[in-house]
Amino acid sequence: MDLSPEELQFLSIPDILRESISIPRRAARTFYFITLILIFPLSFAILAHSLFTHPILRQLEDHPTYDPTETRHQWTRLLVFQFCYLIFLFAFSLLSTAAVVFTVASLYTSKPVSFSSTLSAIPKVLKRLFITFLWVSFLMIAYNAVFLSFLILLIIAIDTQSALLVLFCMLVIFLLFLVVHVYITALWHLASVVSVLEPLYGFAAMKKSYELLKGKTRMAGVLVFGYLAICAAIGSVFGVVVVHGGDRYGVFTRIVVGGFLVGVLVIVNLVGLLVQSVFYYVCKSYHHQEIDKSALHDHLGGYLGEYVPLKSSIQMENMDV
């Protein structure tokens, strides 16, 4: 990002995408390893997990058994696999976020960048990201509970004989749910960046993220919705061709399409992580919150065990807030 902090606030969505895509060129080796070791396994797991769960589900649906022991065994396999998948997904998601945000900030402050220094910083960053993630998870559980409550009330309250009324009410609730989901996702992504770059995490990072989103909510919504839509499209094509396409497509076609889609998802996830980092600086610039590069440089150095002044300007800013 060669632009001055004052100019960042004027970046449009295409500008943010161009800035994000250009960042890996400045540290190609580091981003190559981040992509290969962290983002590729994450993207592969997101798509490939259905290859393992689909056979189990199909067996439970197409060949029901009256032996409770066998049924319990199949469900146990499915639940254990899903649990391991969620742990893997959670771990690599946080690792990828920590690595990309730290590396982008190092480039922004002209701090020497290497994959080894990024790995050294990750352990201290993970704790902060984990606490922030827990708070976001509580928020997601709450709004999902509210959504289910509205759905139950809808079923009880309206005349189910009127198909048009039911469809209209379901559409309204779904749209509200989608809007809230996109906003909370944007809040989470920005709070993750705050947790790495500022001495805030957990609820404090979410509060700071909420403040930064003011005035940029629509832009954040478009970015997040676009990312989710692309991921959904990739997942849908993968499911149709690779997972469920055994009768219509040959093995070679499924392998080629599957490999291509994994590659596309890797690029989408990398660009998504870069965009959330750049968007943080855009929001800071929009709210005229100056980023002292020397203070941020010292803050990043704290993750590597370097000497950090007693109070940086970043800390002072948050104390004033």
Side-chain angles (χ1 to χ4, degrees):
M1 292 181 290
D2 298 324
L3 297 174
S4 65
E6 294 77 16
E7 296 176 310
L8 288 172
Q9 61 181 305
F10 302 112
L11 291 182
S12 62
I13 290 178
D15 294 331
I16 291 175
L17 290 173
R18 278 193 294 269
E19 286 290 331
S20 302
I21 293 171
S22 68
I23 289 174
R25 300 173 192 166
R26 299 173 57 187
R29 181 181 176 85
T30 300
F31 278 104
Y32 170 79
F33 283 115
I34 290 174
T35 302
L36 182 65
I37 297 174
L38 299 177
I39 299 178
F40 171 74
L42 173 66
S43 304
F44 180 81
I46 290 172
L47 293 179
H49 87 281
S50 57
L51 289 173
F52 300 96
T53 57
H54 176 65
I56 301 175
L57 290 171
R58 187 170 59 182
Q59 184 174 357
L60 288 170
E61 293 173 0
D62 298 344
H63 304 286
T65 175
Y66 294 100
D67 183 0
T69 303
E70 178 64 22
T71 303
R72 188 162 52 248
H73 173 68
Q74 293 294 340
W75 277 108
T76 301
R77 284 178 57 201
L78 180 62
L79 292 175
V80 168
F81 180 82
Q82 286 292 89
F83 176 77
C84 294
Y85 163 72
L86 290 175
I87 294 297
F88 182 90
L89 191 69
F90 163 75
F92 273 81
S93 177
L94 292 187
L95 288 170
S96 300
T97 300
V100 171
V101 173
F102 179 85
T103 304
V104 172
S106 297
L107 291 171
Y108 183 68
T109 59
S110 301
K111 192 176 183 66
V113 173
S114 68
F115 184 64
S116 59
S117 64
T118 299
L119 285 182
S120 300
I122 283 178
K124 292 185 179 180
V125 175
L126 274 182
K127 177 185 175 182
R128 305 164 64 88
L129 284 175
F130 177 70
I131 295 174
T132 301
F133 174 79
L134 287 180
W135 276 96
V136 173
S137 298
F138 294 148
L139 184 59
M140 287 184 171
I141 291 172
Y143 87 78
N144 275 284
V146 171
F147 170 73
L148 288 175
S149 300
F150 272 109
L151 203 57
I152 293 172
L153 288 174
L154 172 68
I155 295 173
I156 295 174
I158 69 170
D159 180 12
T160 55
Q161 300 298 321
S162 176
L164 187 61
L165 179 61
V166 172
L167 181 62
F168 175 76
C169 293
M170 292 286 288
L171 182 62
V172 170
I173 291 179
F174 172 76
L175 289 176
L176 288 174
F177 173 80
L178 181 62
V179 169
V180 174
H181 179 73
V182 167
Y183 180 79
I184 292 179
T185 302
L187 190 75
W188 170 29
H189 288 174
L190 196 55
S192 296
V193 182
V194 171
S195 299
V196 177
L197 302 185
E198 300 187 22
L200 300 172
Y201 55 89
F203 180 76
M206 290 177 60
K207 183 179 178 181
K208 183 61 180 287
S209 175
Y210 169 77
E211 294 169 353
L212 289 175
L213 277 177
K214 292 178 180 178
K216 291 292 182 180
T217 304
R218 184 178 299 178
M219 178 180 286
V222 172
L223 290 170
V224 171
F225 181 78
Y227 170 77
L228 294 177
I230 293 172
C231 290
I234 293 172
S236 298
V237 175
F238 187 89
V240 170
V241 177
V242 181
V243 179
H244 303 285
D247 298 332
R248 290 171 291 173
Y249 305 97
V251 174
F252 179 75
T253 301
R254 294 166 67 197
I255 291 174
V256 171
V257 172
F260 173 75
L261 291 175
V262 169
V264 172
L265 187 59
V266 167
I267 296 172
V268 171
N269 283 331
L270 174 60
V271 173
L273 291 170
L274 292 169
V275 165
Q276 76 178 36
S277 296
V278 174
F279 186 68
Y280 165 80
Y281 297 104
V282 171
C283 291
K284 293 282 284 188
S285 175
Y286 178 79
H287 290 282
H288 306 290
Q289 296 182 12
E290 182 181 356
I291 300 176
D292 187 337
K293 290 188 178 183
S294 62
L296 181 57
H297 184 284
D298 294 336
H299 179 73
L300 298 174
Y303 293 128
L304 302 174
E306 299 173 1
Y307 169 75
V308 181
L310 183 60
K311 289 184 180 179
S312 68
S313 63
I314 297 179
Q315 291 171 319
M316 291 300 293
E317 173 193 327
N318 286 285
M319 287 175 64
D320 293 339
V321 171

